[in-house]
Amino acid sequence: MEETAIEKKGATLEERLYAWRTKHLSDRQATIILALCIGFFASVAAYVLHSIIHIIQHLLTSRFHADTFNWLYLMFPVVGIFLTSLFVRYVVKDNISHGITRILYAISSKQSRLKAHNCWTSVVASAITIGFGGSVGAEAPIVLTGSAIGSNLGRLFGMDKKKLILLVGCGAAAAIAGIFKAPIAGLVFTLEVLMVDLSMASLLPILTAAVTATCFTYIFMGSASLFSFHLDSMWGVERVPACIILGIACGLVSLYFIRSMSVCEGMFGKLKQHRWAKLALGGVLLSSLIFVFPVLYGEGYSAINVLLNGTSEADWNELLHNSMFSGNGKWLILFIALVILTKTFATAATNGGGGCGGTFAPSLFVGAFTGFLFSRLWNMYQVGIYIPEKNYTLLGMAGVMAGVMHAPLTGIFLIAEITNGYDMFMPLMIVSIVSVMTISIFEPHSIYAMRLAREGKLVTHHTDRSVLTLMTMDSVIERDFTAVTPDMPLGKLVNAISKSHTSFIPVLDNAGSVLGEIDITKIRHIMFRAELYNKLTVQQLMLPIAAQVGESDSMEEVMRKFDLKGTRYMPVVNVSGHLTGYISRSRAYSMYRKMVADFSAE
């Protein structure tokens, strides 16, 4: 009897696992089981990450005196960035920044394949960065970790490309659910931010992973919410105007957040080849900001809890502790406004200088401070009916996060779940929706997607565009062609045509640039007239190129040119203008139709 793949001694682990899975499990059963595993591993990663961060922060700051500033704030963040950069440079040897953007890129361009080291390296790097005071969040690194776990488990068990996308989404949902104890937020984050299409086939695995991660997080960390919140007063319809105005303010703050982050990233990007200059600039900027505004130290969740639970000036003045503003409560409003303005620079300096972290927590932080500042000014100047500062701190968190991510449902459900603020659903919806509508006027993409959108590599919920994004130039280009020169006589052209497999012949100059093409169907009437073989040349017979595409052009642009020009073939040229191959209209459309069918099938 012929040996099975499992019995073959030379079979790899992947081949053995694939053979076992196909023999004992259907694809649907395997996906559910993998979703359970992903949920467990993601919750473990989240627990380990937060534990390391808290241990480092306790060791470094537990003896700080609250009534004065501390010079160590100038040193700790620089040390953290330096240690992280060494870890990335000599251990990881790969770029692990912009975790969620990397997931989007993997989905759109890498067939949902994330490297194995992403299952743990982001946890270590972000723990060092945040523990030493880096002003970033742990959520993006843990989402990258969860997605990498999903991707690598899927590959290990031989899942196809579509299932890999789903498992990457399961990992992201599990990571959000695990770190926040918010399973619904994990689900909607995957749908809104990662843009994994929702169907009955994908809903169950994603929810399974999210619920599993949440349950194990409760086991590891107890039942306490990340933020404690008690509703001051029930929301009433008379507060709708304040909610709408706050939503507009959150949208504008979100725009400032995205644009200032982009400018800072561009500034650090210019120092890409100067590692020490980046470290010096990032370290000096971050340390200086933390020294003046200690609330920028780390994720900032303790400061958010002060705003959510404060009931008096004395409570809110805790934000001034360890700073040069300590004991001067009259500067609280100015202090909060400056923190909102400087948080993005602290976050960009952390990542730009060599640290590792995300913008998830910073957006929550800025949102909380925005909501509190808005409500204080509203009440101070008696703009309208009194609005509770605590409630609007909560609404500001949802509004800014929804605006930065272009994800209103994520903002609504995450804030409701992590604070148990379900009584605030109506104002949460108003603020989040208005915020996203406001920022969408100026910025069509989220902070995570805008880099890929500029390069045409972003998968969206639009099926046609998603399929074209997943298609690659290499998959449709034809490199087997016969070329001729413009001075070649008709006789030699006929000989070249006899060797060609296409109905066209490209005409190239000595450098390999396209000058035109010979359409065989247009010269049939003279091809066999021997008396013309030495009288006519290729230059006299060739036709101009109707359209051409570059190697880096998107498939959306390729299809647009096919529709616009009506041509059957288009030459593909490199950056130097030299011909590298041809794209056939029939082949491109055949692959497109096949991918649409695969993409749409459950």
Side-chain angles (χ1 to χ4, degrees), residues 80-148:
I81 292 176
F82 177 67
L83 292 176
T84 304
S85 63
L86 289 180
F87 173 75
V88 172
R89 183 177 179 85
Y90 295 107
V91 179
V92 182
K93 299 179 182 179
D94 191 16
N95 188 350
I96 56 175
S97 61
H98 301 306
I100 295 176
T101 301
R102 291 194 171 279
I103 299 169
L104 289 170
Y105 180 71
I107 291 174
S108 62
S109 302
K110 300 283 187 181
Q111 298 182 338
S112 300
R113 294 178 178 268
L114 292 163
K115 296 180 180 178
H117 72 74
N118 288 132
C119 295
W120 63 274
T121 51
S122 294
V123 171
V124 176
S126 59
I128 297 171
T129 299
I130 299 169
F132 276 85
S135 194
V136 289
E139 292 75 21
I142 204 64
V143 169
L144 176 59
T145 298
S147 295

Side-chain angles (χ1 to χ4, degrees), residues 504-515:
F504 62 91
I505 302 289
V507 182
L508 310 180
D509 61 15
N510 293 331
S513 299
V514 183
L515 300 177

Side-chain angles (χ1 to χ4, degrees), residues 193-214:
V193 179
L194 298 188
M195 290 167 282
V196 174
D197 278 335
L198 177 63
S199 64
M200 289 307 297
S202 62
L203 178 61
L204 187 58
I206 294 174
L207 272 178
T208 299
V211 171
T212 302
T214 304

Side-chain angles (χ1 to χ4, degrees), residues 261-513:
M261 284 288 293
S262 181
V263 170
C264 290
E265 287 177 1
M267 179 178 65
F268 281 100
K270 293 178 181 178
L271 301 174
K272 188 175 183 180
Q273 305 301 324
H274 306 281
R275 185 165 62 96
W276 293 109
K278 286 174 60 178
L279 175 62
L281 177 61
V284 170
L285 180 57
L286 176 61
S287 296
S288 301
L289 290 173
I290 291 178
F291 180 76
V292 179
F293 308 107
V295 292
L296 297 178
Y297 189 95
E299 294 172 296
Y301 286 162
S302 59
I304 295 176
N305 271 317
V306 169
L307 295 178
L308 287 175
N309 295 287
T311 57
S312 65
E313 293 295 328
D315 293 334
W316 293 320
N317 287 343
E318 290 181 23
L319 298 174
L320 305 178
H321 287 178
N322 295 126
S323 76
M324 58 185 64
F325 296 89
S326 183
N328 296 296
K330 61 182 179 180
W331 298 110
L332 179 63
I333 291 179
L334 176 62
F335 180 86
I336 289 176
L338 291 175
V339 167
I340 293 171
L341 292 175
T342 55
K343 178 63 175 180
T344 54
F345 295 98
T347 299
T350 303
N351 286 329
C356 178
T359 56
F360 204 112
S363 68
L364 288 175
F365 180 91
V366 171
F369 276 66
T370 299
F372 182 83
L373 179 63
F374 174 86
S375 56
R376 285 301 298 269
L377 293 176
W378 179 282
N379 293 331
M380 183 182 298
Y381 292 102
Q382 298 181 340
V383 178
I385 187 175
Y386 171 78
I387 54 177
E389 283 91 346
K390 289 165 55 176
N391 294 6
Y392 278 72
T393 297
L394 190 73
L395 297 178
M397 293 169 67
V400 172
M401 190 184 70
V404 168
M405 296 184 184
H406 282 52
L409 288 177
T410 302
I412 294 165
F413 284 101
L414 179 65
I415 301 306
E417 286 187 291
I418 63 180
T419 62
N420 290 320
Y422 293 100
D423 293 330
M424 297 284 289
F425 246 91
M426 183 59 72
L428 282 172
M429 287 191 286
I430 295 173
V431 173
S432 297
I433 291 170
V434 172
S435 175
V436 174
M437 290 173 63
T438 301
I439 192 174
S440 296
I441 298 172
F442 307 97
E443 182 60 59
H445 298 290
S446 72
I447 192 170
Y448 304 125
M450 62 186 218
R451 303 180 189 93
L452 297 179
R454 290 170 185 165
E455 301 173 11
K457 298 177 180 178
L458 180 64
V459 172
T460 70
H461 286 297
H462 192 293
T463 301
D464 289 345
R465 291 180 180 174
S466 296
V467 169
L468 290 175
T469 301
L470 292 169
M471 289 176 66
T472 62
M473 187 75 77
D474 285 338
S475 65
V476 294
I477 191 172
E478 299 176 19
R479 303 184 187 277
D480 182 17
F481 59 86
T482 302
V484 296
T485 57
D487 57 352
M488 181 181 289
L490 176 59
K492 291 186 177 180
L493 173 60
V494 171
N495 185 50
I497 290 173
S498 67
K499 300 176 181 178
S500 175
H501 302 290
T502 61
S503 62
F504 62 91
I505 302 289
V507 182
L508 310 180
D509 61 15
N510 293 331
S513 299

Side-chain angles (χ1 to χ4, degrees), residues 463-464 467-468 471 476 555 559 563 584-601:
T463 301
D464 289 345
V467 169
L468 290 175
M471 289 176 66
V476 294
M555 286 304 299
M559 293 302 201
D563 288 340
S584 162
R585 179 190 184 98
S586 60
R587 181 174 179 179
Y589 273 85
S590 175
M591 180 170 291
Y592 169 79
R593 286 190 293 270
K594 182 180 183 301
M595 290 188 68
V596 167
D598 293 341
F599 199 89
S600 302

